[in-house]
Amino acid sequence: MNTDNGTQGQDRQNFTSSRKNRVGAPMSNMGKIPPQAIDLEEAVLGALMLEKDALSTVIDILKPDVFYAEAHKKIFEAIAILFQKSKPVDILTVTSELRTLGTLEMVGGAYYITNLTNRVASAANIEYHARIISQKYIQRELIRISSEIIQNAYEDTTDIFDLLDNAEKGLFDIAQNNLRRDTQKMDEIIKQSLATLEELRTKSDGLTGVPSGFTALDRITGGWQPSDLVIIAARPAMGKTAFVLTCARNAAVDFKRPVVVFSLEMSSVQLVNRLISGETEIEQEKIRKGNLAEWEWQQLHSKIGTLTEAPLLIDDTPALNIFEFRAKCRRLKSQYDIQMIIIDYLQLMHGKGEGQSGGGNREQEIGSISRALKSVAKELNVPVLALSQLSRAVETRPGVNGKRPLLSDLRESGSIEQDADMVLFLYRPEYYGITEDESGRSQAGVGEVIIAKHRNGETGIVPLRFIGKYVKFTDLEEDFMPPNSFSMDSPAAGMLPSADFDRPAGNVIIKPSRMDDFNDDDAPF
């Protein structure tokens, strides 16, 4: 009997010892305790009830869910309610609010509230303590999401697109709700601005972004700017793909900037055939059919080398969803340091997995896609050029000028206009049978780039030359020469309408800058 008592006593001693180990320092063979900082939670709550200004310091860092202890969550909820009502926060008011909420006894009563203030002398280090509590919460959330992913990944009935969607959304929500940039002081921002200006002073071309290769367009925009979302919209057959391919070619070939093109509409071989046609100036129809003369084969092989060496990447994954897109862009940025992203085109993307609607109507899905594209542009600090379709309203408007697109013509979502830093429209008067402008100048082969929205600069119209047989755009001044310098012996003679020689080189129509109608929330996640 005594032996039994001795054994039971030893068991209690062992249990007590093991419990102390579990509570104190987690042991590898005794399981794991979630990341937590109970002592700091008590210190922060006590400091909030000691000094009236302490809550203003941490109100944007803490929220009830970041506290590990359930009692601490309830106490902070009461403190937050008092703060919202502009009432003082101290032992008495917090106790009274908890009593009103019916949770006073659950948190340990008035004695526990009073005891919290004895754990800290002042609120001097409250911000530092609050950030540690927030970090522990983020760690717990990462563990929770990872555990759910692992569990669901083992289930054969789990849809893989749902799994990827939930994993991406869970991690994104953690960043969105917990990681935000601190407010910067003016002297720090001024230093950054001056450093940028010093760097720009050394550039003689005035380009601050990725060049488009079009002189007049770059003069207005300074190139495609980092972190900008640029929407390029037009009706079918206006040359949207030809325009962005020309931009991609100019950036990659002429300026050696790595560029990736996501083609959701055309295959990579079709895009490359267009690039070859523009580079070699062999008609697209001949390249498509392979009907090339011997001299054209020689010309092709002699000029194709520039494309072969260009840092140009093409991804023709069909029905690309935004999660795949974001993952691919991050990987390409890491591997190739891409400087520009092009999407052809936005309406063919999906917000979720293949065949899923995204839980709302198409307009809401397009809105979420445009916000995600802007998010990728800011995260990777590169310009994102996304093609977009226009509604049929353009076709129904009467008159010569009625065919020019408007911002209201953007298809399926007003969010596209709101999220975009620039909105460009492509317009070819010749397509609508308009052969001359108001001044009587020929419109044959003329394509206009209409800058309808420019968040950081001027709006205007930039005329370019569209060469349909080569499927490319060029500067207008490359095709038009002043009468006094044009020679009839030139190879270009006879190729262009004579009426066009009166057009001023680099003709650009400038309009005053227009303030953006929407708020631009630049705060990162």
Side-chain angles (χ1 to χ4, degrees):
M1 189 70 181
N2 292 337
T3 303
D4 292 341
N5 290 338
T7 303
Q8 291 175 3
Q10 185 64 37
D11 289 342
R12 285 194 297 270
Q13 183 177 354
N14 292 338
F15 174 80
T16 303
S17 177
S18 65
R19 183 177 183 277
K20 289 181 178 179
N21 286 331
R22 291 199 304 271
V23 174
M27 299 174 62
S28 59
N29 62 341
M30 298 301 295
K32 297 179 180 179
I33 296 178
Q36 55 183 283
I38 297 294
D39 53 342
L40 292 182
E41 292 181 9
E42 294 174 344
V44 166
L45 291 174
L48 292 176
M49 290 183 286
L50 280 180
E51 297 187 15
K52 62 177 183 179
D53 297 329
L55 187 56
S56 300
T57 306
V58 299
I59 193 65
D60 59 337
I61 302 173
L62 298 177
K63 56 184 179 180
D65 287 341
V66 305
F67 290 90
Y68 181 74
E70 189 66 28
H72 296 166
K73 292 181 182 180
K74 299 298 182 182
I75 295 172
F76 188 80
E77 284 178 356
I79 292 174
I81 292 173
L82 291 172
F83 180 79
Q84 293 172 359
K85 296 179 179 178
S86 299
K87 293 183 178 180
V89 177
D90 54 35
I91 297 174
L92 296 178
T93 56
V94 172
T95 302
S96 176
E97 186 65 30
L98 286 169
R99 186 177 289 110
T100 301
L101 296 173
T103 56
L104 180 59
E105 297 304 321
M106 192 189 88
V107 303
Y111 174 78
Y112 185 77
I113 303 298
T114 304
N115 197 42
L116 287 175
T117 59
N118 295 328
R119 295 184 175 273
V120 62
S122 70
N125 301 317
I126 189 171
E127 183 176 355
Y128 181 75
H129 293 162
R131 294 192 182 280
I132 294 177
I133 295 172
S134 180
Q135 290 170 13
K136 298 297 182 183
Y137 168 71
I138 293 173
Q139 289 177 267
R140 294 197 300 272
E141 286 295 286
L142 290 173
I143 293 171
R144 178 184 62 81
I145 292 172
S146 300
S147 299
E148 290 177 358
I149 294 172
I150 293 172
Q151 181 179 353
N152 292 332
Y154 277 107
E155 297 291 337
D156 293 335
T157 58
T158 301
D159 183 87
I160 189 63
F161 290 105
D162 279 338
L163 182 60
L164 289 171
D165 182 15
N166 293 334
E168 184 84 20
K169 185 177 184 300
L171 294 174
F172 180 80
D173 287 344
I174 292 176
Q176 181 79 16
N177 298 327
N178 297 282
L179 303 180
R180 295 191 177 272
R181 180 181 299 174
D182 290 335
T183 304
Q184 291 181 285
K185 296 174 63 178
M186 181 56 69
D187 59 341
E188 297 173 353
I189 303 175
I190 289 292
K191 289 179 182 178
Q192 296 175 10
S193 179
L194 291 177
T196 303
L197 291 175
E198 289 290 339
E199 182 181 353
L200 295 177
R201 189 175 65 171
T202 61
K203 296 184 177 182
S204 58
D205 54 12
L207 292 176
T208 58
V210 178
S212 69
F214 302 117
T215 307
L217 183 59
D218 285 337
R219 193 178 299 133
I220 296 177
T221 63
W224 310 117
Q225 298 300 313
S227 78
D228 272 7
L229 173 59
V230 182
I231 299 296
I232 301 169
R235 289 294 294 157
M238 288 294 114
K240 296 188 298 296
T241 302
F243 178 77
V244 293
L245 276 184
T246 305
C247 291
R249 180 266 168 207
N250 293 343
V253 174
D254 296 339
F255 297 93
K256 307 301 179 185
R257 302 291 188 94
V259 178
V260 59
V261 178
F262 289 91
S263 177
L264 285 74
E265 186 176 32
M266 302 174 63
S267 70
S268 57
V269 174
Q270 290 174 317
L271 289 183
V272 169
N273 285 343
R274 286 192 171 202
L275 287 169
I276 291 174
S277 175
E279 192 69 19
T280 61
E281 296 193 344
I282 298 175
E283 294 181 19
Q284 166 72 11
E285 187 69 15
K286 289 186 176 182
I287 291 178
R288 187 175 64 85
K289 295 180 178 180
N291 297 331
L292 303 183
E294 185 61 31
W295 68 269
E296 289 175 323
W297 280 109
Q298 295 177 2
Q299 180 174 322
L300 185 148
H301 286 293
S302 65
K303 291 187 177 182
I304 203 174
T306 54
L307 285 178
T308 304
E309 299 172 359
L312 183 58
L313 306 162
I314 297 177
D315 186 312
D316 60 356
T317 304
L320 185 69
N321 66 61
I322 196 63
F323 305 109
E324 294 173 330
F325 169 76
R326 184 185 287 114
K328 288 185 176 184
C329 288
R330 287 169 177 163
R331 185 167 63 251
L332 292 172
K333 181 65 175 179
S334 174
Q335 292 178 344
Y336 302 102
D337 191 28
I338 54 172
Q339 300 296 305
M340 184 165 69
I341 300 169
I342 296 174
I343 303 154
D344 183 13
Y345 58 91
L346 187 150
Q347 276 81 9
L348 291 179
M349 295 189 75
H350 291 282
K352 297 189 70 174
E354 184 178 1
Q356 298 187 27
S357 64
N361 58 37
R362 182 58 178 165
E363 182 175 341
Q364 292 174 336
E365 187 177 13
I366 290 295
S368 68
I369 291 172
S370 67
R371 288 190 295 273
L373 295 182
K374 176 60 180 175
S375 172
V376 170
K378 293 178 68 176
E379 177 186 347
L380 302 183
N381 196 35
V382 299
V384 173
L385 277 60
L387 298 186
S388 178
Q389 292 281 17
L390 291 178
S391 68
R392 293 186 178 90
V394 177
E395 312 293 342
T396 61
R397 288 197 293 265
V400 174
N401 293 325
K403 304 302 181 184
R404 279 195 172 92
L406 304 173
L407 286 172
S408 58
D409 295 326
L410 283 171
R411 185 176 172 184
E412 289 186 313
S413 179
S415 297
I416 297 177
E417 178 186 352
Q418 177 179 347
D419 297 326
D421 297 280
M422 290 182 65
V423 177
L424 308 183
F425 295 126
L426 299 182
Y427 169 68
R428 293 196 296 116
E430 186 180 21
Y431 179 82
Y432 294 103
I434 303 172
T435 58
E436 294 182 347
D437 63 8
E438 294 84 350
S439 302
R441 292 179 296 214
S442 174
Q443 296 294 290
V446 174
E448 295 180 353
V449 178
I450 304 170
I451 306 176
K453 175 185 177 181
H454 192 185
R455 182 165 287 165
N456 301 307
E458 298 171 322
T459 59
I461 300 176
V462 179
L464 298 176
R465 167 62 65 192
F466 175 69
I467 309 177
K469 60 182 179 180
Y470 302 146
V471 202
K472 71 174 184 178
F473 283 82
T474 64
D475 274 335
L476 197 63
E477 51 264 42
E478 292 182 3
D479 291 281
F480 292 98
M481 302 176 65
N484 57 2
S485 63
F486 184 80
S487 172
M488 292 306 295
D489 296 328
S490 168
M495 294 174 59
L496 304 172
S498 58
D500 285 336
F501 297 137
D502 295 330
R503 182 186 292 272
N507 183 26
V508 180
I509 305 171
I510 301 294
K511 298 180 181 179
S513 178
R514 194 164 62 102
M515 293 296 291
D516 185 34
D517 295 331
F518 300 92
N519 293 327
D520 180 25
D521 182 13
D522 283 331
F525 307 140

